[in-house]
């Protein structure tokens, strides 16, 4: 197994270098930057932006896009980005330990009964016998960086299966996809709007579900600078309230289907402005729909999952063992739960 120590993780970072939701405190056109990935799971930000929920709260939002989680954490710490949605990473935790970052809410969770992240095998590995996650022993597993969510997921799968895998850091999601399709790596895990089209092309195969190993996994979180969390409470509450309106619209359209097919199509049109923009709408729509996962209503945060993730990072010597959950989280803005 390839292992990453804390120093290596911090080196990568340097290189990449509730109740408050109730009523907005109108910020009078305050300019803020919101970080995101071009994933369907980031739809809360897209809907809030497109439907003027941010603007209605007095927030002049600019969306800034990234290709991996850890650079986004660095951007928050440096002040280039004010708020962001991304997965927990060793970089984010280490920056929280330095007093630079706070997780303030939950964005996306694995949930029973709703399609979640898939475990994929390359076509070459599949034909050679890698037909289930239980057969990953001795195989290579793609990650963006050491201490990324992909690293966490792959390790948890390996741990539960009692096997070892080799992790290959490839920096960007696009590079991981290319390596998987070409057989340079054997396996990977990713959200369904990416996994299903890849599997449909025949270039890769779905061999398992992350929910089988992490049934209540808090996949992504909302986070900001420690300064914003402490000194810009009204602004932070307004951001979360506006974002949560976008989440509610998304869940109503894509999960509950309150608006029927028309509601789904309207939401697909909105999301297509940000996801699969290089494809015509008719080709992008099935992937966007296939990627539907319920987003956390009210940005509720699963603190038990965050504690498990922190414990794993510490057990792998990717972050300091002295870091407490309170160092990472500010739970004053949203409801929390344990699952």
């Amino acid at each position: 197994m390839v292992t990453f120590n804390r120093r290596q993780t911090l080196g990568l970072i340097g290189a990449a270098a509730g109740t408050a939701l109730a009523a907005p405190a109108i910020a009078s056109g305050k300019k803020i930057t919101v970080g995101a990935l071009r994933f369907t799971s980031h739809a809360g930000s897209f809907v809030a932006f497109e439907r003027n929920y941010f603007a209605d709260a007095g927030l002049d939002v600019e969306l800034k896009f990234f290709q991996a989680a850890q650079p986004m954490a660095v951007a928050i710490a440096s002040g280039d980005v004010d708020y962001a949605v991304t997965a927990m990473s060793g970089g984010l935790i280490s920056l929280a330990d330095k007093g630079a970052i706070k997780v303030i809410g939950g964005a996306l969770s694995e949930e029973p009964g709703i399609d979640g992240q898939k475990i994929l095998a390359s076509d070459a590995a599949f034909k050679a016998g890698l037909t289930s996650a239980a057969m990953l022993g001795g195989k290579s597993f793609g990650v963006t960086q050491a201490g990324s969510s992909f690293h966490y997921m792959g390790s948890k799968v390996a741990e539960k299966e009692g096997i070892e895998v080799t992790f290959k850091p490839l920096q960007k999601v696009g590079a991981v996809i290319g390596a998987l399709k070409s057989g340079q790596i054997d396996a990977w895990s990713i959200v369904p709007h990416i996994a299903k089209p890849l599997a449909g092309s025949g270039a890769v195969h779905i061999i398992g579900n992350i929910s089988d190993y992490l049934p209540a996994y808090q996949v992504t979180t909302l986070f900001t600078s420690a300064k914003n969390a402490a000194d810009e409470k009204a602004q932070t509450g307004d951001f979360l309230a506006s974002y949560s309106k976008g989440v509610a619209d998304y869940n109503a359209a894509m999960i509950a289907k309150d608006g029927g097919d028309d509601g789904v199509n309207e939401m697909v049109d909105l999301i297509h402005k940000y996801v699969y923009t290089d494809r015509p709408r008719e080709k992008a729509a099935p992937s966007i729909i296939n990627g539907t996962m319920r987003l956390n209503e009210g940005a509720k945060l699963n603190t038990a999952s965050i504690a498990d993730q922190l414990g794993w990072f510490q057990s792998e010597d990717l972050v300091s063992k002295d870091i407490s959950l309170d160092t990472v989280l500010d739970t004053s803005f949203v409801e929390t739960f344990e699952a």
Side-chain angles (χ1 to χ4, degrees):
M1 179 184 291
V2 172
T3 58
F4 301 105
N5 61 34
R6 186 175 171 223
R7 180 176 297 174
Q8 289 170 316
T9 303
L10 292 174
L12 285 169
I13 301 166
T19 54
L21 298 186
I26 303 302
S28 302
K30 178 69 179 292
K31 179 78 173 180
I32 65 170
T33 303
V34 175
L37 303 177
R38 292 188 182 276
F39 286 4
T40 302
S41 55
H42 288 244
S45 296
F46 307 152
V47 177
F49 182 82
E50 288 291 328
R51 293 186 172 172
N52 294 320
Y53 297 148
F54 290 132
D56 290 345
L59 300 174
D60 180 10
V61 166
E62 175 188 354
L63 296 174
K64 184 172 183 177
F65 292 93
F66 293 79
Q67 297 189 50
Q70 292 197 141
M72 211 182 309
V74 173
I76 289 281
S78 69
D80 290 339
V81 171
D82 294 293
Y83 301 95
V85 176
T86 195
M88 293 289 291
S89 66
L92 187 152
I93 294 169
S94 293
L95 287 167
D97 187 35
K98 294 178 182 296
I101 279 177
K102 286 288 187 181
V103 170
I104 55 172
L108 173 70
S109 297
E110 291 285 343
E111 180 181 339
I114 295 179
D115 238 2
Q117 296 188 96
K118 304 298 182 185
I119 304 168
L120 303 176
S122 70
D123 187 52
F126 185 84
K127 289 176 178 175
L130 181 55
T131 56
S132 78
M135 298 176 179
L136 278 167
K139 304 299 183 182
S140 59
F141 194 97
V143 301
T144 46
Q145 294 100 5
S148 64
S149 61
F150 304 114
H151 189 187
Y152 169 74
M153 287 186 285
S155 293
K156 283 292 184 174
V157 171
E159 177 185 320
K160 291 204 173 183
E161 292 293 354
I163 58 179
E164 290 191 353
V165 299
T166 299
F167 294 101
K168 290 193 175 181
L170 296 164
Q171 306 310 315
K172 297 179 180 179
V173 167
V176 180
I177 292 173
L180 189 68
K181 291 171 70 174
S182 63
Q184 296 176 64
I185 57 172
D186 299 314
W188 186 40
S189 59
I190 192 61
V191 288
H193 88 263
I194 293 177
K196 289 180 180 179
L198 285 172
S201 72
V204 305
H205 302 268
I206 295 171
I207 60 170
N209 298 295
I210 288 298
S211 60
D212 293 337
Y213 300 89
L214 295 163
Y217 173 34
Q218 183 71 63
V219 182
T220 57
T221 63
L222 291 142
F223 68 107
T224 188
S225 66
K227 183 179 185 304
N228 278 342
D231 301 337
E232 298 288 351
K233 288 187 178 294
Q235 173 185 291
T236 299
D238 291 348
F239 165 76
L240 286 166
S242 305
Y243 169 86
S244 295
K245 287 181 181 179
V247 166
D249 284 4
Y250 176 81
N251 287 343
M254 303 300 287
I255 301 291
K257 292 184 169 58
D258 289 344
D261 290 343
D262 288 344
V264 170
N265 286 327
E266 182 182 357
M267 187 59 67
V268 168
D269 288 342
L270 188 158
I271 294 170
H272 185 224
K273 295 180 180 181
Y274 302 96
V275 180
Y276 294 124
T277 57
D278 58 338
R279 300 182 188 179
R281 197 268 188 198
E282 62 271 17
K283 290 188 176 180
S287 297
I288 292 171
I289 293 169
N290 279 337
T292 300
M293 295 175 68
R294 191 192 308 276
L295 303 178
N296 291 44
E297 292 280 351
K300 291 181 181 178
L301 179 67
N302 181 354
T303 54
S305 176
I306 300 300
D308 181 74
Q309 292 177 61
L310 174 59
W312 175 81
F313 285 112
Q314 291 172 325
S315 71
E316 293 288 312
D317 196 29
L318 292 165
V319 301
S320 169
K321 290 181 171 57
D322 296 329
I323 300 173
S324 69
L325 203 58
D326 288 341
T327 301
V328 179
L329 304 181
D330 182 336
T331 58
S332 66
F333 295 98
V334 301
E335 291 183 30
T336 63
F337 67 101
E338 296 187 0

